[in-house]
Amino acid sequence: MEVPLNPLGRKEIHRLESTLLFGTLFRPEVLDLIKDPAERLTWVDSLAVAAGALAREKAGMTTSEIAQELGRTEQTIRKHLKGESKAGQLVRETYELIKGGKLENVLTSLEECREYREKYENLKRELERIKEEIEKLLK
């Protein structure tokens, strides 16, 4: 799966953003940080904002554009982008891992999840179609 390091357009921004988020979430040290259910929601939200901010920065958006699009203050966005927040540091590290080709196993896992989800959805639709056929035959 090709991850755009300098995305052009919304689709590529979202691809980089989701790769940064999932790539960061599944790093062992991050999994340890989010074990506590009370902290998990805060961590995931912060990582999502940091990933969204970095992806948009790499696409050439300004801090104020990013803040407006993500619904956060410019100060929050700057903290994430400068690595002054732990989430910002972790996402930036993940970006460097992707850039260096060292996050391939996570990216492959994400692609496999997409493929399985598509197969699951297809099987679910097929099951519904078969149920409808059976109902028609029983009437």
Side-chain angles (χ1 to χ4, degrees):
M1 176 176 78
E2 188 68 29
V3 178
L5 297 175
N6 295 299
L8 302 170
R10 293 281 170 216
K11 187 174 182 177
E12 287 188 1
I13 288 172
H14 291 297
R15 188 177 319 145
L16 177 57
E17 180 180 13
S18 61
T19 302
L20 286 169
L21 178 58
F22 291 113
T24 304
L25 275 172
F26 291 113
R27 289 173 46 194
E29 65 271 27
V30 177
L31 289 172
D32 285 340
L33 290 171
I34 63 173
K35 281 183 180 175
D36 180 8
E39 298 287 324
R40 189 174 301 133
L41 187 59
T42 303
W43 265 105
V44 172
D45 181 65
S46 292
L47 290 171
V49 173
L54 185 59
R56 285 162 179 77
E57 179 190 55
K58 294 299 179 183
M61 292 176 71
T62 67
T63 302
S64 61
E65 290 172 329
I66 296 168
Q68 185 176 3
E69 189 164 310
L70 296 180
R72 298 300 198 278
T73 65
E74 288 185 37
Q75 181 182 5
T76 298
I77 299 303
R78 271 193 291 280
K79 279 185 173 184
H80 286 311
L81 292 176
K82 289 179 180 178
E84 293 173 359
S85 68
K86 184 67 175 173
Q89 290 171 7
L90 291 166
V91 168
R92 177 118 5 227
E93 289 170 8
T94 301
Y95 179 83
E96 293 302 321
L97 289 171
I98 294 168
K99 191 174 169 182
K102 297 179 180 163
L103 203 64
E104 198 59 39
N105 59 340
V106 171
L107 301 179
T108 301
S109 296
L110 289 174
E111 190 61 31
E112 287 172 0
C113 287
R114 284 188 192 115
E115 289 174 18
Y116 286 121
R117 186 177 62 232
E118 288 173 13
K119 288 178 184 178
Y120 169 77
E121 292 300 325
N122 288 337
L123 287 170
K124 201 165 113 177
R125 282 191 293 273
E126 181 67 12
L127 178 61
E128 286 304 313
R129 189 189 64 73
I130 291 171
K131 284 180 180 179
E132 288 173 8
E133 291 272 331
I134 290 172
E135 284 180 25
K136 285 179 186 175
L137 290 171
L138 293 175
K139 287 183 179 180

